[in-house]
Amino acid sequence: MKRALECGVFLAALVFLGGSGARAAGPLSMPGADSKEPLEIVADRLVTNDAEKFAEFSGRVKATQGRFTLTADTLRIYYEGELVNAPKGERSSREAIKRIVAGGKVHIVSEEYTADAERAEYLPESDELTLAGPGSRVVSGKNTLSGAKIIYNRSQGKALV
């Protein structure tokens, strides 16, 4: 897995509503994706809450970046500070992302692996990806990891099932 789900998000500035629902595009890196590729998130609905510091896509969520695709029922991004129009000298928007959670029939496809879970959570600070729910699994070539909870520390290359 490549450096994943490090996020720089300009959601408020990049979101527009179209006939097919909520959309966002921008520099958000997904697991196994090349962060230089553009990211597109399509969903039936987008709710942002600056007071509680989250943005949530829901209903047929599909995030695509290069050859990486994530589908889920919901995708929620938690952040701190200001993502749009942050004062100069403050940390980057990548550093502002605290947690990313995908829920409900999560399916991830990249060049290196596929993964299925009821819930996927990524913590950028610890570089830890957790897949949870009965039948959670990651398949890479002929190798398969499965269990009710899979925790993968990406920077250390360690997995706990």
Side-chain angles (χ1 to χ4, degrees):
M1 293 182 200
K2 295 181 183 175
R3 190 115 180 112
L5 288 175
E6 297 174 339
C7 294
V9 182
F10 312 112
L11 288 174
L14 298 172
V15 172
F16 61 92
L17 296 176
S20 62
R23 294 177 164 265
L28 192 121
S29 298
M30 302 301 276
D34 180 352
S35 64
K36 294 176 186 170
E37 294 284 333
L39 170 74
E40 180 178 43
I41 301 173
V42 178
D44 292 334
R45 181 181 169 135
L46 170 64
V47 174
T48 60
N49 185 325
D50 198 44
E52 294 182 36
K53 304 294 185 187
F54 74 81
E56 181 176 80
F57 294 87
S58 60
R60 297 181 296 180
V61 178
K62 183 175 183 179
T64 306
Q65 187 173 27
R67 294 184 180 170
F68 170 88
T69 303
L70 177 142
T71 57
D73 294 333
T74 62
L75 179 64
R76 185 177 276 204
I77 301 167
Y78 294 89
Y79 59 91
E80 89 179 7
E82 298 297 320
L83 291 180
V84 180
N85 300 322
K88 288 185 178 182
E90 283 195 13
R91 72 177 120 179
S92 71
S93 56
R94 285 179 187 247
E95 294 169 333
I97 301 301
K98 293 295 154 195
R99 181 169 59 133
I100 299 171
V101 180
K105 299 179 192 141
V106 178
H107 182 68
I108 300 169
V109 177
S110 76
E111 286 186 60
E112 299 171 356
Y113 65 92
T114 61
D116 292 289
E118 287 181 7
R119 177 181 163 95
E121 180 174 353
Y122 180 69
L123 301 171
E125 187 174 329
S126 63
D127 202 17
E128 194 168 87
L129 175 65
T130 301
L131 302 173
S136 295
R137 70 185 183 125
V138 178
V139 178
S140 180
K142 295 180 181 180
N143 302 310
T144 302
L145 271 174
S146 61
K149 188 173 188 180
I150 302 168
I151 302 170
Y152 180 60
N153 185 297
R154 297 169 19 77
S155 58
Q156 296 176 5
K158 293 180 181 180
L160 174 65
V161 181

